Amino acid sequence: MYDLARLREEFPVLSTCIYLDSASTTQTPRRAVDAMCAYFYEYAANHGRGAHHLARKTTERYEETREILGVFLGVDPGHLVFTKNTTDAINMAAHGICWREGDEVITTALEHHANLLPWMALKERGVDLKILPQKNGFVDPSDLQDALSPRTKLVTVNHVTNVLGTVQPVEEMARMAHDAGAMILVDAAQSAGHMPIRIDGFDFVAVPGHKGLLGPQGTGALYVKDYSALSITCHGGGIVEEVTLQGFTLLPPPARFEPGTPNIPGVIGLGKAIQLVEELRVEEIHRHETRLGEQAYDGLSSISGVAVFSPRGSPVLSFNVDGMDPHACAEELDRREGICVRSGLHCAHPLASSLSPGGTVRASMGCYTSPGEVQVFVETVEKIASRKKNPRSR
Ligand code: PLP
């Protein structure tokens, strides 16, 4: 039973606004914030260093989150590297894979800049980039089949687009990539915690902590199936077994990929947040968010003067009010009812500008969003659209 009223008590901010920007970052539950406060007030120390009891407790709690995340994602926690966010995770792969001149990467026209720019930047290292076309928010797997070549080293694709919420057939794409001898990276920024996902069939998966997993900002992880495919890109303390003036030997992974002092409180908070997602059950979250997506879609698409771009059921809903700049619409939603939505090109310029040159307004729902909030949102868009058509109305 999905107890929404009880769940919302975990997020005090929800009583002050209608938060429909969860695709950007989610709210953090009380239990995660409490765990972070406990770290600061009771035992803050550094991770993995020092024999004193505070350092031991810190290390235990930090590593506990790796275990929790491993169980949640159904993979060996030893193959999860903590990162700052999804972008950091993708860059770790992009810069850590051993490239040879003439290697090829295939991505899609649906990507967030985080899964586009790092691959574009590899041009300097002689790596070619192919970009699969998209239609209505989907790539056709047969285009991938045609694009794969003996030079393809990596296919990289998002699981769910952040502009439209469309879901890509990543398992099928993984089979195609592997059959062609290539690896696959999946950007799970909009799927982890929102829908069931099996990640052990992919070579790399970038996972944000601060979106569907409800963790604090500044957290994320990279799943690495085979560490031999990846070198470290950042050097420093905490990653070495031995250092002499002649050189160094690295600790085994994942430690070798986490140099310096990590986001210890964030990771500890993330562990508690994932436990909440586990309690809710991701299948139930998916069902809840899909229903909200349907409600929002049905409401918005019945308003004259509103164009909806996302498919029905997507909890990431892009739309525009005819003749209105997306930012102006977002500001008005906030001003009228304290509704927080995103507007513009959503860090996905190629996709968002293909829908409308100035991008879209994007309402994105989370596990804690209520049908009542969606109703207020739809009614407010209706008022804005009718005022746009008839400036004298309110
Ligand atoms: N990929 C997708 C599909 C996203 O939606 C986002 C952010 O919204 C990112 C990557 C970047 O995520 P982060 O902010 O965690 O780096």
Side-chain angles (χ1 to χ4, degrees), residues 23-24 85-87 90 112 114 158 160 162 187 189-190 208 210-211:
S24 180
N85 46 43
T86 325
T87 306
I90 295 171
H112 186 282
N158 67 53
V160 176
N162 68 310
D187 170 357
Q190 298 298 341
H210 67 105
K211 296 184 195 274

Side-chain angles (χ1 to χ4, degrees), residues 51-318:
H52 62 79
H53 67 288
L54 295 189
R56 277 202 307 275
K57 184 161 177 181
T58 293
T59 305
E60 247 167 51
R61 293 288 154 88
Y62 182 92
E63 292 303 326
E64 226 169 71
T65 298
R66 208 187 304 272
E67 297 288 325
I68 293 168
L69 184 58
V71 170
F72 179 76
L73 295 172
V75 294
D76 177 352
H79 285 252
L80 294 169
V81 179
F82 285 123
T83 61
K84 291 196 296 244
N85 46 43
T86 325
T87 306
D88 191 29
I90 295 171
N91 274 273
M92 190 178 280
H95 299 293
I97 292 172
C98 173
W99 302 104
R100 293 210 191 88
E101 206 167 325
D103 281 343
E104 194 177 79
V105 172
I106 301 177
T107 190
T108 82
L110 292 169
E111 305 304 317
H112 186 282
H113 298 161
N115 199 30
L116 187 59
L117 274 56
W119 314 111
M120 286 178 166
L122 289 177
K123 197 176 169 127
E124 283 173 10
R125 291 167 68 176
V127 176
D128 294 328
L129 182 62
K130 281 185 183 163
I131 301 180
L132 303 179
Q134 62 89 18
K135 200 169 166 204
N136 300 325
F138 294 95
V139 284
D140 183 341
S142 68
D143 285 334
L144 172 61
Q145 193 62 65
D146 294 344
L148 284 161
S149 84
R151 292 203 290 124
T152 311
K153 187 150 191 155
L154 183 85
V155 173
T156 178
V157 60
N158 67 53
H159 190 189
V160 176
T161 63
N162 68 310
V163 178
L164 293 167
T166 45
V167 184
Q168 304 312 310
V170 283
E171 283 87 9
E172 188 182 354
M173 294 172 87
R175 270 194 303 279
M176 287 176 172
H178 289 153
D179 287 350
M183 299 184 287
I184 182 160
L185 181 150
V186 173
D187 170 357
Q190 298 298 341
S191 57
H194 290 291
M195 58 196 286
I197 161 175
R198 270 196 71 100
I199 72 164
D200 56 357
F202 308 118
D203 299 281
F204 305 98
V205 182
V207 179
H210 67 105
K211 296 184 195 274
L213 299 184
L214 306 177
Q217 292 70 34
T219 59
L222 178 67
Y223 166 69
V224 185
K225 193 182 192 70
D226 176 3
Y227 279 116
S228 70
L230 203 66
S231 301
I232 66 166
T233 54
C234 187
H235 297 77
I239 64 167
V240 280
E241 222 153 45
E242 195 188 350
V243 185
T244 65
L245 292 182
Q246 281 68 49
F248 58 85
T249 51
L250 291 168
L251 283 171
R256 67 169 59 172
F257 291 97
E258 294 175 9
T261 301
N263 180 359
I264 298 166
V267 167
I268 290 171
L270 173 62
K272 295 291 174 204
I274 298 170
Q275 284 174 333
L276 174 57
V277 174
E278 290 267 29
E279 281 170 26
L280 294 169
R281 296 187 54 244
V282 77
E283 294 82 1
E284 291 301 320
I285 293 175
H286 185 52
R287 205 165 294 142
H288 174 72
E289 293 180 354
T290 304
R291 262 192 234 121
L292 295 172
E294 289 168 354
Q295 182 194 349
Y297 179 94
D298 291 347
L300 290 192
S301 53
S302 69
I303 304 172
S304 122
V306 171
V308 184
F309 302 106
S310 298
R312 185 170 187 269
S314 165
V316 177
L317 199 82
S318 262

